[in-house]
Amino acid sequence: MKTLVVLLGPTGVGKTELSLELAEFLDSPVISADSRQMYKELAIGTAAPTPEEQAKIKHYFIGTLQLTDYYSASRFEEDVISLLADLYQTHETILMSGGSMMYIDAVCKGIDEIPTIDETLRADLKDLYQKEGIDPIRQRLKLLDPVFYKQVDLKNHKRVIHALEICLMTGKPYSSLRTDKAKQRPFRILKIGLQREREELYERINHRVDTMMQRGFLEEARSVYHLRHLNSLNTVGYKELFKYFSGEWSLDFAVEKIKQNTRIYSRKQMTWFKRDKEIHRFHPDRLEEIKDQILRNTV
C-alpha cells in the first residue's frame, strides 16, 4: 500500500538534516509541512533548506509564495493530496517533513471545509480589535456561537476573531461547521516524531538563532520591514527584529527574545504532538532504528 511517512517535531530538533537522509533512503522527494518556509523572502529566518540541500533532494512547498499571498491549512491539504496522487504513480513511499501542527493535521486527518474570508470583513474585525480590544469580539462570538465560545481559549485572540469571521461570513455558528472527524486517506500514514531532552533542544535553538544572524537574518528582516503589517510576518524572529528597527529594543535584546520566543513555540509544538498517540518517537541520532520502523510499516 502507498505510504506517507510524516517526519515531525519541534523547531530546532533536527528535522531538516534527518529528512535528507530519509529521503535518500526512501528514494523520495520531501514535502515540506512548514507554513512559513513557503514564503521565499523568509529563507534565513525560517531555517529553510538551503539551495544546496534542495539541489540534492527535490522539495515541494519551499519558497513558493510571496508574503502578500493568501494561504491556509485547507489550501495546503488540497495541494498536498493532489500532489500525492501524482507522486504515487512513480513512488511507493513519500516523505513529508515539518513542524506546522495544523498543516500536518490537515494532510493526515483532513480539515473542515471553512470558506475563504472576505478581506473587507477581515479588515473590519482587525480594525475593531486594534481600537477596542478583544472584549467586543468575544461578546459577538458569544451571541452568535455560544457553543464554540465555551470551547475556545478566550485569550487566543486569533482563534476568537477567526471564529467570529466564520459566523459573520456564513450566517451559521462556527461550531456547526466543525466535524472534527478524520477523513479516510487512500494511503497509509506513518508518523515519526523526533524528540530531544529539553536542555539539549534549547541549546540547539540558541545556536541556530546565532547561526541565522551570521547568515544574514538581520538584512533579510530589514528587507521585509515595510511589509510588517502582513500576517505572514507575524512570525517569531521577524517580530523581534522589527522592534529593533523601530528603536524599541536593542539588537542584543531582540536576539535574546528571538531565542526565548522560539523556545516557547517549541514547547507549544511538543504539547500538541504529545496528544497524538500514533506518533513513533525517536531521538534524531537513532537513524537506523527509524529506518527499521519505516521498513516494518511499508513492506
Side-chain angles (χ1 to χ4, degrees):
M1 185 177 183
K2 305 295 186 182
T3 303
L4 178 67
V5 175
V6 183
L7 184 68
L8 53 85
T11 186
V13 76
K15 295 184 296 294
T16 299
E17 301 96 312
L18 195 63
S19 69
L20 296 172
E21 298 259 15
L22 292 180
E24 198 165 7
F25 170 65
L26 296 169
D27 190 25
S28 168
V30 176
I31 296 176
S32 171
D34 186 305
S35 64
R36 288 303 187 257
Q37 289 182 358
M38 300 178 80
Y39 296 103
K40 68 177 183 179
E41 299 96 331
L42 310 185
I44 299 173
T46 62
T50 65
E52 293 77 17
E53 289 168 336
Q54 293 187 59
K56 182 179 179 182
I57 299 291
K58 171 68 177 176
H59 284 69
Y60 292 93
F61 304 104
I62 296 288
T64 54
L65 298 178
Q66 304 281 342
L67 286 171
T68 52
D69 290 340
Y70 171 77
Y71 205 75
S72 65
S74 59
R75 282 275 302 277
F76 185 70
E77 176 191 4
E78 293 175 8
D79 291 345
V80 171
I81 296 302
S82 175
L83 173 63
L84 286 172
D86 290 337
L87 293 177
Y88 280 138
Q89 294 183 30
T90 53
H91 297 76
E92 285 296 312
T93 303
I94 300 296
L95 177 65
M96 183 170 79
S97 177
S100 294
M101 298 85 79
M102 288 294 294
Y103 278 43
I104 292 170
D105 277 1
V107 173
C108 294
K109 302 176 182 178
I111 198 164
D112 296 327
E113 295 184 9
I114 301 299
T116 301
I117 304 302
D118 177 76
E119 287 301 320
T120 301
L121 171 61
R122 174 158 285 162
D124 288 345
L125 289 181
K126 182 179 181 180
D127 185 59
L128 175 63
Y129 171 67
Q130 291 175 339
K131 290 180 178 178
E132 301 184 34
I134 194 63
D135 281 339
I137 296 174
R138 286 176 182 155
Q139 293 308 311
R140 292 180 72 181
L141 179 63
K142 184 177 182 180
L143 180 66
L144 295 176
D145 192 350
V147 173
F148 190 69
Y149 178 85
K150 293 179 180 178
Q151 299 171 347
V152 70
D153 176 4
L154 293 172
K155 296 179 181 178
N156 188 328
H157 71 274
K158 291 183 181 179
R159 292 273 177 88
V160 174
I161 293 172
H162 180 62
L164 182 58
E165 287 174 343
I166 299 300
C167 292
L168 295 174
M169 190 77 188
T170 64
K172 300 176 181 179
Y174 177 46
S175 57
S176 70
L177 302 174
R178 300 171 74 236
T179 62
D180 293 326
K181 293 181 180 177
K183 295 179 183 176
Q184 295 298 311
R185 298 303 192 196
F187 48 83
R188 178 170 41 197
I189 296 172
L190 173 64
K191 297 177 184 176
I192 303 293
L194 301 184
Q195 58 186 16
R196 295 178 186 267
E197 292 296 328
R198 184 162 293 191
E199 289 307 312
E200 181 188 13
L201 179 64
Y202 286 178
E203 285 182 14
R204 286 178 57 88
I205 287 172
N206 294 341
H207 177 70
R208 187 169 82 160
V209 172
D210 290 335
T211 299
M212 290 193 303
M213 294 301 294
Q214 293 166 8
R215 289 183 56 207
F217 184 24
L218 185 66
E219 291 73 21
E220 180 180 83
R222 197 187 302 276
S223 72
V224 298
Y225 180 58
H226 64 291
L227 299 172
R228 60 191 177 278
H229 61 283
L230 296 176
N231 184 59
S232 52
L233 284 168
N234 184 24
T235 301
V236 173
Y238 298 90
K239 294 187 296 183
E240 293 82 1
L241 289 180
F242 292 166
K243 290 195 175 185
Y244 162 64
F245 297 147
S246 68
E248 188 173 344
W249 289 351
S250 70
L251 180 57
D252 286 346
F253 185 78
V255 171
E256 287 306 310
K257 292 297 288 185
I258 293 172
K259 294 176 181 178
Q260 178 186 13
N261 291 333
T262 304
R263 295 193 299 265
I264 291 171
Y265 179 60
S266 74
R267 291 200 297 270
K268 291 180 180 179
Q269 291 173 297
M270 287 187 284
T271 299
W272 180 287
F273 293 136
K274 191 175 181 180
R275 298 195 298 254
D276 192 337
K277 305 306 180 186
E278 297 178 354
I279 297 175
H280 301 271
R281 304 175 195 280
F282 298 90
H283 189 283
D285 290 345
R286 294 163 57 191
L287 177 60
E288 294 307 315
E289 292 179 45
I290 293 171
K291 289 180 179 179
D292 288 343
Q293 182 72 52
I294 292 173
L295 287 175
R296 288 198 300 271
N297 286 270
T298 55
V299 175

Coordinates of all heavy atoms in Angstrom, one line a residue, residues 184-255:
Q184 N -10.8 9.7 5.6 CA -10.1 8.5 5.2 C -9.2 8.8 4.0 O -9.6 9.4 3.0 CB -11.1 7.4 4.8 CG -12.0 6.9 5.9 CD -11.2 6.3 7.0 OE1 -10.3 5.4 6.8 NE2 -11.4 6.7 8.3
R185 N -8.0 8.4 4.1 CA -7.0 8.6 3.0 C -6.7 7.3 2.3 O -6.7 6.3 2.9 CB -5.7 9.2 3.6 CG -5.8 10.5 4.3 CD -6.4 11.6 3.5 NE -6.3 12.9 4.1 CZ -6.9 14.0 3.6 NH1 -7.8 13.9 2.6 NH2 -6.8 15.2 4.2
P186 N -6.5 7.4 1.0 CA -6.2 6.2 0.2 C -4.7 5.8 0.3 O -4.1 5.3 -0.7 CB -6.5 6.7 -1.2 CG -6.2 8.1 -1.3 CD -6.6 8.6 0.1
F187 N -4.1 6.1 1.4 CA -2.7 5.7 1.6 C -2.5 5.6 3.1 O -3.2 6.1 3.9 CB -1.7 6.8 1.1 CG -2.0 8.2 1.5 CD1 -1.6 8.7 2.7 CD2 -2.7 9.0 0.6 CE1 -1.9 10.1 3.0 CE2 -3.0 10.4 0.9 CZ -2.6 10.9 2.2
R188 N -1.5 4.8 3.5 CA -1.1 4.6 4.9 C -0.3 5.7 5.4 O 0.5 6.3 4.6 CB -0.4 3.3 5.0 CG 0.1 2.9 6.4 CD 0.6 1.4 6.3 NE 1.4 1.1 5.1 CZ 1.7 -0.1 4.7 NH1 1.3 -1.1 5.4 NH2 2.4 -0.3 3.6
I189 N -0.5 6.1 6.6 CA 0.3 7.2 7.2 C 1.1 6.7 8.4 O 0.6 6.0 9.3 CB -0.6 8.3 7.8 CG1 -1.4 8.9 6.6 CG2 0.2 9.4 8.5 CD1 -2.5 9.9 7.0
L190 N 2.4 6.9 8.3 CA 3.4 6.6 9.4 C 4.0 7.8 10.0 O 4.7 8.6 9.2 CB 4.4 5.6 8.9 CG 5.6 5.3 9.9 CD1 5.0 4.5 11.1 CD2 6.7 4.5 9.2
K191 N 3.8 8.1 11.2 CA 4.3 9.3 11.8 C 5.6 9.0 12.7 O 5.5 8.2 13.6 CB 3.3 10.0 12.7 CG 2.0 10.5 12.0 CD 1.0 11.1 12.9 CE -0.3 11.4 12.2 NZ -1.3 11.9 13.1
I192 N 6.7 9.7 12.3 CA 7.9 9.6 13.1 C 8.2 10.9 13.8 O 8.3 11.9 13.1 CB 9.1 9.3 12.1 CG1 8.8 8.0 11.3 CG2 10.4 9.2 12.9 CD1 8.8 6.7 12.2
G193 N 8.1 10.9 15.1 CA 8.3 12.1 15.9 C 9.7 12.2 16.4 O 10.2 11.2 17.1
L194 N 10.4 13.3 16.2 CA 11.8 13.5 16.7 C 11.7 14.2 18.1 O 10.9 15.2 18.2 CB 12.6 14.3 15.7 CG 12.8 13.7 14.4 CD1 13.8 14.5 13.5 CD2 13.3 12.2 14.5
Q195 N 12.5 13.8 19.0 CA 12.5 14.5 20.3 C 13.9 14.4 20.9 O 14.7 13.5 20.7 CB 11.5 13.8 21.3 CG 11.7 12.3 21.5 CD 10.6 11.6 22.3 OE1 9.5 12.1 22.5 NE2 10.9 10.4 22.8
R196 N 14.1 15.5 21.7 CA 15.4 15.6 22.4 C 15.1 16.0 23.9 O 14.0 16.5 24.1 CB 16.3 16.6 21.8 CG 16.8 16.3 20.4 CD 17.7 17.4 19.9 NE 18.1 17.2 18.5 CZ 19.2 16.6 18.1 NH1 20.0 16.1 19.0 NH2 19.5 16.4 16.8
E197 N 16.0 15.8 24.8 CA 15.8 16.4 26.1 C 15.7 17.9 26.0 O 16.3 18.5 25.1 CB 17.0 16.0 27.0 CG 17.2 14.5 27.3 CD 16.0 14.0 28.2 OE1 15.4 14.9 29.0 OE2 15.6 12.9 28.0
R198 N 14.9 18.5 26.9 CA 14.6 19.9 26.7 C 15.9 20.8 26.7 O 16.0 21.7 25.9 CB 13.7 20.3 27.8 CG 13.2 21.8 27.7 CD 12.0 22.0 28.6 NE 10.8 21.3 28.1 CZ 9.6 21.5 28.5 NH1 9.3 22.4 29.4 NH2 8.6 20.8 28.0
E199 N 16.8 20.5 27.6 CA 18.0 21.4 27.6 C 18.8 21.2 26.3 O 19.4 22.2 25.8 CB 18.9 21.0 28.8 CG 18.3 21.4 30.1 CD 17.9 22.9 30.2 OE1 18.7 23.7 29.8 OE2 16.8 23.3 30.6
E200 N 18.9 20.0 25.8 CA 19.6 19.8 24.5 C 18.9 20.6 23.4 O 19.6 21.2 22.6 CB 19.6 18.3 24.2 CG 20.3 17.9 22.9 CD 20.2 16.5 22.6 OE1 19.3 15.8 23.1 OE2 20.9 16.0 21.7
L201 N 17.6 20.5 23.4 CA 16.8 21.2 22.3 C 17.0 22.7 22.5 O 17.2 23.4 21.4 CB 15.3 20.9 22.5 CG 14.4 21.6 21.5 CD1 14.7 21.2 20.0 CD2 12.9 21.3 21.8
Y202 N 17.0 23.2 23.7 CA 17.1 24.7 23.9 C 18.5 25.1 23.4 O 18.7 26.2 22.9 CB 16.9 25.0 25.3 CG 15.5 25.0 25.8 CD1 15.1 25.2 27.1 CD2 14.4 24.7 24.9 CE1 13.8 25.2 27.5 CE2 13.1 24.6 25.3 CZ 12.8 24.9 26.6 OH 11.5 24.8 27.0
E203 N 19.5 24.3 23.7 CA 20.9 24.7 23.3 C 20.9 24.8 21.7 O 21.6 25.7 21.2 CB 21.9 23.7 23.8 CG 22.2 23.8 25.2 CD 23.3 22.8 25.7 OE1 23.9 22.2 24.8 OE2 23.4 22.6 26.9
R204 N 20.3 23.8 21.1 CA 20.3 23.8 19.6 C 19.5 25.1 19.1 O 19.9 25.7 18.1 CB 19.6 22.5 19.1 CG 20.5 21.3 19.2 CD 19.7 20.1 18.7 NE 19.2 20.2 17.4 CZ 20.0 19.9 16.3 NH1 21.2 19.4 16.5 NH2 19.5 20.0 15.1
I205 N 18.4 25.4 19.7 CA 17.7 26.6 19.3 C 18.5 27.8 19.4 O 18.6 28.7 18.5 CB 16.4 26.7 20.1 CG1 15.3 25.6 19.7 CG2 15.7 28.1 20.0 CD1 14.1 25.5 20.6
N206 N 19.2 28.0 20.6 CA 20.0 29.2 20.8 C 21.1 29.3 19.7 O 21.4 30.3 19.2 CB 20.6 29.2 22.2 CG 19.6 29.3 23.3 OD1 18.5 29.8 23.0 ND2 19.9 28.9 24.5
H207 N 21.7 28.1 19.5 CA 22.8 28.1 18.5 C 22.3 28.4 17.1 O 22.9 29.1 16.3 CB 23.5 26.7 18.5 CG 24.5 26.5 17.4 ND1 25.8 27.2 17.5 CD2 24.6 25.8 16.3 CE1 26.5 26.8 16.4 NE2 25.8 26.0 15.7
R208 N 21.1 27.9 16.8 CA 20.5 28.1 15.4 C 20.2 29.6 15.2 O 20.4 30.1 14.1 CB 19.2 27.3 15.3 CG 18.7 27.4 13.8 CD 17.6 26.4 13.5 NE 16.3 26.9 14.0 CZ 15.2 26.4 13.5 NH1 15.2 25.4 12.6 NH2 14.0 26.8 14.0
V209 N 19.7 30.3 16.2 CA 19.5 31.7 16.1 C 20.8 32.5 15.8 O 20.8 33.3 15.0 CB 18.7 32.3 17.4 CG1 18.6 33.8 17.3 CG2 17.4 31.6 17.5
D210 N 21.8 32.1 16.6 CA 23.1 32.7 16.3 C 23.6 32.5 14.9 O 24.1 33.4 14.3 CB 24.2 32.2 17.3 CG 23.9 32.7 18.8 OD1 23.3 33.7 18.9 OD2 24.3 32.0 19.7
T211 N 23.4 31.3 14.4 CA 23.8 30.9 13.1 C 23.0 31.7 12.0 O 23.6 32.2 11.0 CB 23.7 29.4 12.8 OG1 24.5 28.7 13.8 CG2 24.1 29.1 11.4
M212 N 21.7 31.9 12.3 CA 20.9 32.6 11.3 C 21.3 34.1 11.3 O 21.4 34.7 10.2 CB 19.4 32.5 11.8 CG 18.8 31.2 11.5 SD 17.0 31.1 11.7 CE 16.7 31.8 13.3
M213 N 21.7 34.6 12.4 CA 22.2 36.0 12.4 C 23.5 36.1 11.6 O 23.7 37.1 10.9 CB 22.4 36.5 13.9 CG 21.1 36.6 14.7 SD 19.9 37.8 14.0 CE 20.8 39.3 14.2
Q214 N 24.4 35.1 11.8 CA 25.6 35.1 11.0 C 25.4 35.0 9.5 O 26.1 35.5 8.7 CB 26.5 34.0 11.5 CG 27.0 34.2 12.9 CD 27.6 32.9 13.5 OE1 27.8 31.9 12.8 NE2 27.9 32.9 14.8
R215 N 24.3 34.3 9.1 CA 24.0 34.1 7.7 C 23.3 35.3 7.1 O 23.1 35.3 5.8 CB 23.1 32.8 7.6 CG 23.8 31.5 7.8 CD 22.9 30.4 7.6 NE 22.4 30.4 6.2 CZ 21.2 29.9 5.9 NH1 20.4 29.3 6.8 NH2 20.8 30.0 4.6
G216 N 22.9 36.3 7.8 CA 22.3 37.5 7.2 C 20.8 37.7 7.6 O 20.1 38.4 6.8
F217 N 20.4 37.1 8.7 CA 19.0 37.2 9.1 C 18.6 38.7 9.3 O 17.5 39.1 8.9 CB 18.7 36.4 10.4 CG 17.3 36.4 10.8 CD1 16.2 36.6 9.9 CD2 17.0 36.1 12.1 CE1 14.9 36.5 10.3 CE2 15.7 36.1 12.6 CZ 14.6 36.3 11.7
L218 N 19.5 39.5 9.9 CA 19.2 40.9 10.1 C 18.8 41.6 8.8 O 17.9 42.4 8.7 CB 20.4 41.6 10.8 CG 20.1 43.0 11.2 CD1 19.1 43.1 12.3 CD2 21.4 43.7 11.7
E219 N 19.6 41.4 7.8 CA 19.4 42.0 6.5 C 18.1 41.5 5.8 O 17.4 42.3 5.2 CB 20.6 41.8 5.5 CG 21.9 42.5 6.0 CD 22.6 41.9 7.2 OE1 22.3 40.7 7.5 OE2 23.4 42.6 7.8
E220 N 17.9 40.2 6.0 CA 16.6 39.6 5.4 C 15.4 40.3 6.1 O 14.5 40.7 5.4 CB 16.6 38.1 5.6 CG 15.3 37.5 5.1 CD 15.4 36.0 5.3 OE1 15.0 35.5 6.5 OE2 15.7 35.2 4.4
A221 N 15.4 40.4 7.4 CA 14.3 41.0 8.1 C 14.2 42.5 7.7 O 13.0 43.0 7.6 CB 14.5 40.9 9.6
R222 N 15.3 43.2 7.6 CA 15.2 44.6 7.2 C 14.5 44.7 5.8 O 13.8 45.7 5.5 CB 16.6 45.2 7.2 CG 16.6 46.8 7.2 CD 18.0 47.3 7.0 NE 18.9 46.9 8.0 CZ 19.0 47.4 9.2 NH1 18.2 48.5 9.5 NH2 19.9 47.0 10.1
S223 N 14.8 43.8 4.9 CA 14.3 43.9 3.6 C 12.7 43.7 3.5 O 12.1 44.1 2.5 CB 14.9 42.8 2.7 OG 14.4 41.5 3.0
V224 N 12.1 43.2 4.6 CA 10.7 43.0 4.6 C 10.0 43.8 5.6 O 8.8 43.7 5.8 CB 10.3 41.5 4.8 CG1 10.8 40.6 3.6 CG2 10.8 41.0 6.1
Y225 N 10.8 44.7 6.3 CA 10.2 45.5 7.4 C 9.1 46.4 6.9 O 8.1 46.6 7.7 CB 11.4 46.4 7.9 CG 11.0 47.3 9.0 CD1 10.4 46.8 10.2 CD2 11.1 48.7 8.9 CE1 10.1 47.7 11.3 CE2 10.8 49.6 10.0 CZ 10.2 49.0 11.1 OH 9.9 49.9 12.2
H226 N 9.1 46.8 5.7 CA 8.0 47.7 5.2 C 6.7 46.9 5.0 O 5.6 47.5 4.9 CB 8.4 48.3 3.8 CG 8.6 47.3 2.7 ND1 9.7 46.4 2.7 CD2 7.9 47.1 1.6 CE1 9.6 45.7 1.6 NE2 8.5 46.0 0.9
L227 N 6.8 45.6 5.1 CA 5.6 44.7 5.0 C 5.1 44.2 6.3 O 4.4 43.2 6.4 CB 5.8 43.6 4.0 CG 6.1 44.0 2.5 CD1 6.6 42.8 1.7 CD2 4.9 44.7 1.9
R228 N 5.7 44.7 7.4 CA 5.5 44.1 8.7 C 4.0 44.0 9.2 O 3.7 43.3 10.1 CB 6.2 45.0 9.8 CG 5.8 46.4 9.9 CD 6.8 47.2 10.7 NE 6.4 48.7 10.8 CZ 6.8 49.5 9.8 NH1 7.4 49.2 8.7 NH2 6.4 50.8 10.0
H229 N 3.1 44.7 8.5 CA 1.7 44.6 8.8 C 1.0 43.3 8.4 O -0.1 43.0 8.8 CB 0.9 45.8 8.2 CG 1.0 45.8 6.7 ND1 2.1 46.3 6.1 CD2 0.1 45.5 5.8 CE1 1.9 46.2 4.7 NE2 0.7 45.7 4.5
L230 N 1.7 42.6 7.5 CA 1.1 41.4 6.9 C 1.1 40.2 7.9 O 2.1 40.1 8.7 CB 1.9 40.9 5.7 CG 1.9 41.9 4.5 CD1 2.8 41.3 3.4 CD2 0.5 42.0 3.9
N231 N 0.1 39.4 7.9 CA 0.0 38.2 8.8 C 1.2 37.3 8.6 O 1.6 36.6 9.5 CB -1.3 37.5 8.6 CG -1.5 36.4 9.6 OD1 -1.5 36.6 10.8 ND2 -1.7 35.2 9.1
S232 N 1.7 37.2 7.4 CA 2.8 36.2 7.1 C 4.0 36.6 7.8 O 4.9 35.8 8.0 CB 3.1 36.2 5.6 OG 3.2 37.5 5.1
L233 N 4.1 37.9 8.3 CA 5.3 38.3 9.1 C 5.0 38.4 10.6 O 5.8 38.9 11.3 CB 5.8 39.7 8.5 CG 6.5 39.6 7.2 CD1 6.7 41.0 6.6 CD2 7.9 38.9 7.4
N234 N 3.9 37.9 11.0 CA 3.6 37.7 12.4 C 4.2 36.5 12.9 O 3.6 35.5 13.2 CB 2.1 37.7 12.6 CG 1.7 37.7 14.1 OD1 2.5 38.1 15.0 ND2 0.5 37.1 14.4
T235 N 5.6 36.5 12.8 CA 6.4 35.2 12.9 C 7.5 35.5 13.9 O 8.2 36.5 13.8 CB 6.9 34.9 11.5 OG1 5.8 34.6 10.7 CG2 7.8 33.6 11.6
V236 N 7.8 34.5 14.7 CA 8.9 34.6 15.7 C 10.2 34.9 14.9 O 10.5 34.2 13.9 CB 9.1 33.3 16.5 CG1 10.4 33.4 17.3 CG2 7.9 33.1 17.4
G237 N 11.0 35.8 15.3 CA 12.2 36.2 14.7 C 12.1 37.5 14.0 O 12.8 38.5 14.3
Y238 N 11.1 37.6 13.1 CA 10.9 38.9 12.4 C 10.2 39.9 13.3 O 10.6 41.1 13.4 CB 10.0 38.6 11.2 CG 10.7 37.7 10.2 CD1 10.5 36.3 10.3 CD2 11.5 38.2 9.2 CE1 11.2 35.5 9.4 CE2 12.2 37.4 8.4 CZ 12.0 36.0 8.5 OH 12.7 35.1 7.6
K239 N 9.3 39.5 14.1 CA 8.6 40.4 15.0 C 9.6 41.1 16.0 O 9.5 42.3 16.3 CB 7.5 39.7 15.9 CG 6.4 39.2 15.1 CD 5.3 38.6 16.0 CE 5.7 37.4 16.8 NZ 4.6 36.8 17.6
E240 N 10.5 40.3 16.5 CA 11.5 40.8 17.4 C 12.5 41.8 16.8 O 12.8 42.9 17.3 CB 12.3 39.7 18.1 CG 11.4 38.8 19.0 CD 10.6 37.8 18.3 OE1 10.7 37.7 17.0 OE2 9.9 37.0 18.9
L241 N 12.9 41.5 15.6 CA 13.9 42.3 14.8 C 13.1 43.6 14.4 O 13.8 44.7 14.3 CB 14.5 41.6 13.7 CG 15.5 40.5 14.0 CD1 16.0 39.9 12.8 CD2 16.6 41.1 14.9
F242 N 11.9 43.5 14.1 CA 11.1 44.7 13.8 C 11.1 45.7 14.9 O 11.2 47.0 14.7 CB 9.7 44.4 13.4 CG 9.6 43.6 12.1 CD1 8.4 43.0 11.8 CD2 10.6 43.5 11.2 CE1 8.2 42.2 10.6 CE2 10.5 42.8 10.0 CZ 9.3 42.2 9.7
K243 N 11.1 45.2 16.2 CA 11.1 46.1 17.3 C 12.5 46.8 17.5 O 12.6 47.9 18.0 CB 10.7 45.4 18.6 CG 9.3 45.0 18.6 CD 8.8 44.6 20.0 CE 7.3 44.3 20.0 NZ 6.8 44.0 21.4
Y244 N 13.5 46.1 17.0 CA 14.9 46.7 17.0 C 14.9 47.8 15.9 O 15.4 48.9 16.2 CB 15.9 45.6 16.7 CG 17.2 46.2 16.2 CD1 18.0 47.0 17.0 CD2 17.7 45.9 14.9 CE1 19.2 47.6 16.6 CE2 18.9 46.5 14.4 CZ 19.6 47.3 15.3 OH 20.8 47.8 14.9
F245 N 14.3 47.5 14.7 CA 14.3 48.5 13.7 C 13.5 49.8 14.1 O 13.9 50.9 13.7 CB 13.7 47.9 12.4 CG 14.5 46.8 11.8 CD1 13.8 45.8 11.1 CD2 15.9 46.7 11.9 CE1 14.5 44.7 10.6 CE2 16.6 45.7 11.3 CZ 15.9 44.6 10.7
S246 N 12.5 49.6 14.9 CA 11.7 50.7 15.3 C 12.3 51.5 16.4 O 11.7 52.5 16.8 CB 10.3 50.3 15.6 OG 10.3 49.5 16.8
G247 N 13.4 51.0 17.0 CA 14.0 51.7 18.1 C 13.5 51.3 19.4 O 14.0 51.8 20.5
E248 N 12.6 50.3 19.5 CA 12.0 49.9 20.8 C 13.0 49.1 21.6 O 13.0 49.1 22.8 CB 10.7 49.2 20.5 CG 9.9 48.9 21.7 CD 8.5 48.3 21.4 OE1 8.1 48.4 20.2 OE2 7.9 47.8 22.3
W249 N 13.7 48.2 20.9 CA 14.6 47.3 21.6 C 16.0 47.4 21.0 O 16.2 47.9 19.9 CB 14.2 45.8 21.4 CG 13.0 45.4 22.1 CD1 12.3 46.1 23.0 CD2 12.3 44.2 21.9 NE1 11.2 45.4 23.5 CE2 11.2 44.2 22.8 CE3 12.5 43.0 21.1 CZ2 10.3 43.1 22.9 CZ3 11.6 42.0 21.2 CH2 10.5 42.0 22.1
S250 N 17.0 47.0 21.8 CA 18.4 46.9 21.3 C 18.5 45.6 20.5 O 17.7 44.7 20.6 CB 19.4 46.9 22.4 OG 19.3 45.7 23.2
L251 N 19.6 45.5 19.7 CA 19.7 44.3 18.9 C 20.0 43.1 19.8 O 19.4 42.0 19.5 CB 20.9 44.5 17.9 CG 21.1 43.3 17.0 CD1 19.9 42.9 16.2 CD2 22.3 43.6 16.0
D252 N 20.8 43.3 20.8 CA 21.1 42.1 21.7 C 19.9 41.6 22.4 O 19.7 40.4 22.5 CB 22.2 42.5 22.7 CG 23.6 42.6 22.1 OD1 23.8 42.2 21.0 OD2 24.5 43.2 22.8
F253 N 19.0 42.6 22.8 CA 17.8 42.2 23.5 C 16.9 41.5 22.5 O 16.2 40.5 22.9 CB 17.1 43.4 24.1 CG 15.9 43.1 24.9 CD1 16.0 42.6 26.2 CD2 14.6 43.3 24.4 CE1 14.9 42.3 27.0 CE2 13.5 43.0 25.2 CZ 13.7 42.5 26.5
A254 N 16.8 42.0 21.3 CA 15.9 41.4 20.3 C 16.3 39.9 20.0 O 15.5 39.0 19.9 CB 15.9 42.2 19.0
V255 N 17.6 39.7 19.9 CA 18.1 38.4 19.6 C 17.8 37.4 20.8 O 17.4 36.3 20.5 CB 19.6 38.4 19.3 CG1 20.2 37.0 19.2 CG2 19.9 39.1 18.0

